[in-house]
Amino acid sequence: MKTTAVRLYGKNDVRMETFELPEIKDDEILVEVQADSICMSTWKAVQAGTEHKRVPKDAAVHPVMIGHELAGIIAKVGSQWSGSFHKGQTITIQPALNYKGSMDSPGYSYRYCGGDATYMILPPEVMIVGALLPVQAEGFYMSALSEPYSCVIGAMHSLYRSSRQKHEHTLGMKAGGNLAILGGCGPMGLAALDYGLAADNHPAHIIVTDQDEVKIQRAKRIFDTIAEKRGVRLDIVNTKGKDDYALLCNLTDGKKFDDIMIMVPAAPVIELADRLLSFDGCMNFFAGPIHTDLSARVNFYDVHYFEKHIIGTTGGNNDDQKEALVLMEQKRIHPEALITHVGGLDAAGPATQNLPSIPGGKKLIYTHKRFPLIALDELDSRSEESPLFAGLAKIVGKNHGFWCVEAENYVLAHAPDIA
């Protein structure tokens, strides 16, 4: 069985190659990957190469397949798993395996397991820890994005309040409270907003900040109506050149925030969150920094006397991703809101290497197809370049500029194959 995959050899060294996969063992499963969404964490791994904590030291000799936000179809099941999974089943995976304390993870650590590929082999630990997840939601892009949603769901579940009477912690967002998502118009911020609106314990008021007016207007176009239907007050504001502390306090009539999600790894944003946090409030430093010496000034008088809580989370778990899949099936969250670009497998390597400099949100890769990465809002202007872009322009335009199952099916039917 041959696969075509994007592999990491070392720092900023990724190559798309076709090579032979070994025959699967009795405790492995062969998956035909259909879609993979590019994660900023993969860019960080590409920048670090073998210095990354999940990338093996011998990657230059035994390169690893990248990509972990994926959806696929089971092509062959090893005999050990024949009673649990079957050929033709649509699946996704939770890459945070934590198997026996190991940092190994699909998309970072394995020679034959990663999402930017036509075929991959799931090692037994994926199934042992319950990280192979069947999918019911329609559209491969949905299940590919269930992993990033699991990260924000896990982050929201980790927020907490404390009780002096019982010395117990109550986990989760404060129902009916104030939630701030700082630097929140990127894809993960929008996922956090989407979940904040969908959750049963949703806040009464959500404020999202950013400094990119294009992103802000797009977020408003997507979520203003959703928030109104949910009965949640939503403010998405541009803080560029403004006193952001005064601006946010004015929007809450002077009340501070019960929960704060920090989506930008910058000291000024952390310090703003510290000032905005209420008594017994919780702020989650969600943004993963690439620099190991990131620090900020925090008022520990308030930590002591106002019982402010500071946490940081990374990734989700199996239950978080299962929750995301259920919400997708129920159409309570909107993964299409995160997608701004699509491309074929040949676009995955360059897009990953240049991810911070490519504007917009999630870059979605269809792994069996070959076509350049294109922004959805450029489909109209570039429709003369190819019949594929012209066809997608009509479908996406009809869907108010958003990706959808019809657009995905059009790609799968009409885009050139990678082989």
Side-chain angles (χ1 to χ4, degrees):
M1 165 68 71
K2 287 188 182 297
T3 187
T4 300
V6 180
R7 298 198 286 184
L8 175 65
Y9 282 78
K11 283 187 179 182
N12 212 29
D13 185 358
V14 291
R15 312 174 197 175
M16 187 179 75
E17 300 170 316
T18 299
F19 54 95
E20 197 75 27
L21 286 176
E23 182 64 30
I24 67 166
K25 300 173 184 176
D26 289 344
D27 59 357
E28 296 176 332
I29 289 178
L30 178 69
V31 172
E32 182 180 5
V33 185
Q34 298 293 328
D36 183 76
S37 172
I38 301 176
C39 179
M40 188 62 76
S41 296
T42 302
W43 174 80
K44 294 172 186 175
V46 169
Q47 298 307 300
T50 55
E51 294 176 9
H52 192 278
K53 59 187 177 182
R54 296 187 189 274
V55 177
K57 299 303 180 186
D58 65 348
V61 179
H62 299 298
V64 295
M65 291 164 55
I66 64 171
H68 60 272
E69 301 177 0
L70 61 92
I73 298 171
I74 292 178
K76 188 175 182 180
V77 180
S79 59
Q80 182 173 323
W81 306 109
S82 59
S84 303
F85 302 98
H86 60 83
K87 181 179 178 179
Q89 193 170 15
T90 302
I91 56 87
T92 186
I93 63 169
Q94 167 53 246
L97 304 181
N98 299 314
Y99 179 64
K100 294 184 177 180
S102 171
M103 293 294 292
D104 287 355
S105 178
Y108 299 91
S109 315
Y110 292 96
R111 294 175 65 185
Y112 305 122
C113 185
D116 285 323
T118 52
Y119 289 88
M120 67 175 184
I121 296 174
L122 298 180
E125 51 264 37
V126 173
M127 285 69 76
I128 290 170
V129 302
L132 179 55
L133 307 176
V135 169
Q136 301 298 324
E138 187 180 10
F140 293 117
Y141 72 91
M142 289 268 195
S143 41
L145 288 172
S146 65
E147 193 280 332
Y149 269 90
S150 79
C151 298
V152 297
I153 290 172
M156 295 294 206
H157 286 325
S158 299
L159 296 165
Y160 73 95
R161 265 131 284 282
S162 57
S163 167
R164 284 182 173 179
Q165 286 73 28
K166 296 183 179 181
H167 300 294
E168 293 176 347
H169 291 163
T170 302
L171 292 173
M173 291 180 293
K174 184 176 180 179
N178 288 342
L179 166 67
I181 305 173
L182 304 182
C185 286
M188 298 308 289
L190 294 185
L193 169 58
D194 202 12
Y195 181 72
L197 293 170
D200 291 333
N201 60 326
H202 62 78
H205 190 184
I206 301 176
I207 297 180
V208 182
T209 70
D210 208 283
Q211 296 190 355
D212 185 324
E213 190 61 30
V214 173
K215 289 182 178 180
I216 289 168
Q217 292 304 319
R218 183 176 183 272
K220 286 183 176 181
R221 186 158 54 95
I222 299 166
F223 289 107
D224 278 354
T225 302
I226 296 169
E228 185 177 354
K229 289 179 180 177
R230 289 289 286 168
V232 176
R233 180 183 169 187
L234 174 62
D235 292 296
I236 305 175
V237 296
N238 192 334
T239 59
K240 190 172 185 178
K242 300 175 183 176
D243 182 340
D244 38 17
Y245 177 79
L247 174 62
L248 270 62
C249 287
N250 286 338
L251 288 170
T252 60
D253 298 323
K255 294 180 181 178
K256 294 194 174 184
F257 290 85
D258 303 291
D259 297 297
I260 300 178
M261 293 288 293
I262 302 171
M263 312 305 291
V264 179
V269 181
I270 299 168
E271 292 168 5
L272 172 64
D274 177 52
R275 294 176 66 197
L276 290 169
L277 198 60
S278 70
F279 177 86
D280 198 26
C282 188
M283 65 178 182
N284 187 330
F285 179 62
F286 181 83
I290 194 168
H291 299 294
T292 58
D293 60 350
L294 176 64
S295 60
R297 293 174 61 88
V298 173
N299 187 330
F300 276 88
Y301 180 95
D302 286 358
V303 170
H304 182 85
Y305 286 106
F306 291 91
E307 301 182 22
K308 293 183 177 182
H309 314 299
I310 305 171
I311 63 171
T313 60
T314 178
N317 60 29
N318 296 346
D319 289 337
D320 298 328
Q321 195 160 349
K322 289 175 183 177
E323 183 178 354
L325 289 167
V326 169
L327 291 172
M328 289 174 181
E329 293 165 20
Q330 296 173 346
K331 301 188 185 304
R332 290 174 59 185
I333 56 177
H334 310 82
E336 64 277 4
L338 278 57
I339 300 167
T340 58
H341 295 68
V342 294
L345 185 59
D346 53 316
T352 301
Q353 289 175 295
N354 297 290
L355 195 58
S357 63
I358 305 174
K362 280 291 185 182
K363 283 71 185 175
L364 181 67
I365 299 298
Y366 285 97
T367 57
H368 280 268
K369 300 299 176 180
R370 179 188 296 274
F371 64 100
L373 190 75
I374 184 168
L376 301 187
D377 60 9
E378 293 180 357
L379 285 169
D380 266 334
S381 62
R382 295 179 59 185
S383 61
E384 293 183 2
E385 293 181 22
S386 76
L388 175 67
F389 291 171
L392 286 175
K394 293 178 182 178
I395 296 169
V396 172
K398 183 176 62 176
N399 199 44
H400 309 291
F402 298 111
W403 199 242
C404 59
V405 172
E406 184 182 358
E408 176 173 281
N409 289 339
Y410 190 85
V411 165
L412 296 176
H414 298 284
D417 290 339
I418 192 66

